[in-house]
Amino acid sequence: QRLFLYLPSMPSATVCHIWDIWLVERSFKIFFRVGTAILFLSQPILLNHELEGMMTYLNTFPDATLLNPDILIECALQIKVTNRMLLEIEKEVSDAEKAEEFIEQMRMEQQGIDGSNYEWQ
């Protein structure tokens, strides 16, 4: 049962607990809380690695005790996630996507690949 990208199988008790909370709250906040809790609980290990070591750790997740529902869910429920925070994240992602589209459009125009037929004189 995969719940997150780059995370090996979670214990079914943890997955069921997360889904239960999602069904009761009717909000995706629990997924942000759990992701943040995983990073928070892994912080001492992650801070002692370079980026590649962090990715290896998150891909293999050797410390499975952090995925125990008594530890992970307890930590996740202490993390405050508000609708305002989610809206701000959504806006930042949207703005970043618009900026990337603009940059790509400018790059294509500079290369003369804007879809129109220019005639140079």
Side-chain angles (χ1 to χ4, degrees), residues 14 38 41-42 45 57 61 63-69 71-73:
T14 306
I38 289 170
L41 293 170
S42 301
I45 295 166
Y57 177 81
F61 222 88
D63 188 7
T65 58
L66 298 180
L67 302 178
N68 180 315
I71 297 170
L72 183 61
I73 302 300

Side-chain angles (χ1 to χ4, degrees), residues 47-108:
L47 291 177
N48 287 320
H49 289 86
E50 296 294 325
L51 182 60
E52 288 182 26
M54 291 179 192
M55 293 306 297
T56 300
Y57 177 81
L58 293 173
N59 277 318
T60 58
F61 222 88
D63 188 7
T65 58
L66 298 180
L67 302 178
N68 180 315
D70 296 331
I71 297 170
L72 183 61
I73 302 300
E74 176 81 22
C75 181
L77 292 176
Q78 293 178 18
I79 297 170
K80 182 178 179 180
V81 175
T82 64
N83 288 332
R84 178 179 287 173
M85 293 167 81
L86 295 177
L87 287 173
E88 288 175 5
I89 291 169
E90 185 178 358
K91 184 182 181 319
E92 287 177 17
V93 169
S94 175
D95 290 348
E97 288 173 348
K98 288 177 185 174
E100 287 178 19
E101 289 173 11
F102 177 76
I103 291 170
E104 183 62 26
Q105 182 181 8
M106 296 302 294
R107 188 174 296 134
M108 289 174 67

